[in-house]
Amino acid sequence: MAANGYLIDSNVLLDVLEEDPSWFDWSSQALAAAADSGTLVINPIIYAEVSIGLETVEELEALLPKTEFLRAPLPWEAAFLAGKCFLRYRRRGGSKRSPLPDFFIGAHAAVADLALVTRDANRYRTYFPGVHLIDP
């Protein structure tokens, strides 16, 4: 485990919340294991991604209670690192015109010393090799 807990990627949360037939078992087990051994953390980007299918903030708050998920702001250093990693992505031929949410999430895990629970680890491995990943 990273020193400061577990940043939970939105794909894991959505797998559990939507009971995804392919990923529910893995994601729910990974989430439970993280909760048993440390603090679960989300940031505004993860919160926004999970909110897309919901009508109200109250629904989202009920699904991601503050008693279970620490809300952490995105550190300024993480925003800087996300920009630098996005620049590397573009120089490698990436086609997106603005930084992807994964860059902010990976950078947050990196600068805050958080393990990252995700089922989509390829970009994180490439651009944030020092981040401890919990992945399938």
Side-chain angles (χ1 to χ4, degrees):
M1 177 185 99
N4 295 317
Y6 297 88
L7 189 62
I8 309 300
D9 201 353
S10 54
N11 56 41
V12 172
L13 293 170
L14 290 168
D15 290 345
V16 173
L17 296 172
E18 296 173 355
E19 297 184 17
D20 182 275
S22 299
W23 289 104
F24 176 81
D25 288 341
W26 183 86
S27 292
S28 60
Q29 290 171 10
L31 189 60
D36 286 345
S37 62
T39 303
L40 303 180
V41 181
I42 59 173
N43 64 29
I45 294 157
I46 295 164
Y47 191 88
E49 288 184 322
V50 173
S51 77
I52 291 171
L54 303 171
E55 294 296 319
T56 68
V57 71
E58 291 80 13
E59 288 178 89
L60 184 56
E61 287 294 321
L63 292 173
L64 300 174
K66 291 178 183 176
T67 56
E68 295 179 34
F69 295 93
L70 174 69
R71 278 119 164 94
L74 186 71
W76 289 100
E77 296 85 1
F80 180 84
L81 178 57
K84 295 303 173 195
C85 290
F86 178 72
L87 181 61
R88 285 182 39 221
Y89 160 84
R90 291 283 297 168
R91 288 181 176 159
R92 289 179 169 183
S95 61
K96 301 295 182 186
R97 304 286 301 156
S98 60
L100 303 167
D102 288 353
F103 286 107
F104 293 102
I105 293 167
H108 187 175
V111 303
D113 192 23
L114 296 164
L116 178 58
V117 181
T118 184
R119 64 168 168 77
D120 186 21
N122 288 339
R123 185 171 291 126
Y124 298 120
R125 275 197 190 94
T126 299
Y127 295 100
F128 305 98
V131 171
H132 177 73
L133 298 176
I134 310 296
D135 64 313

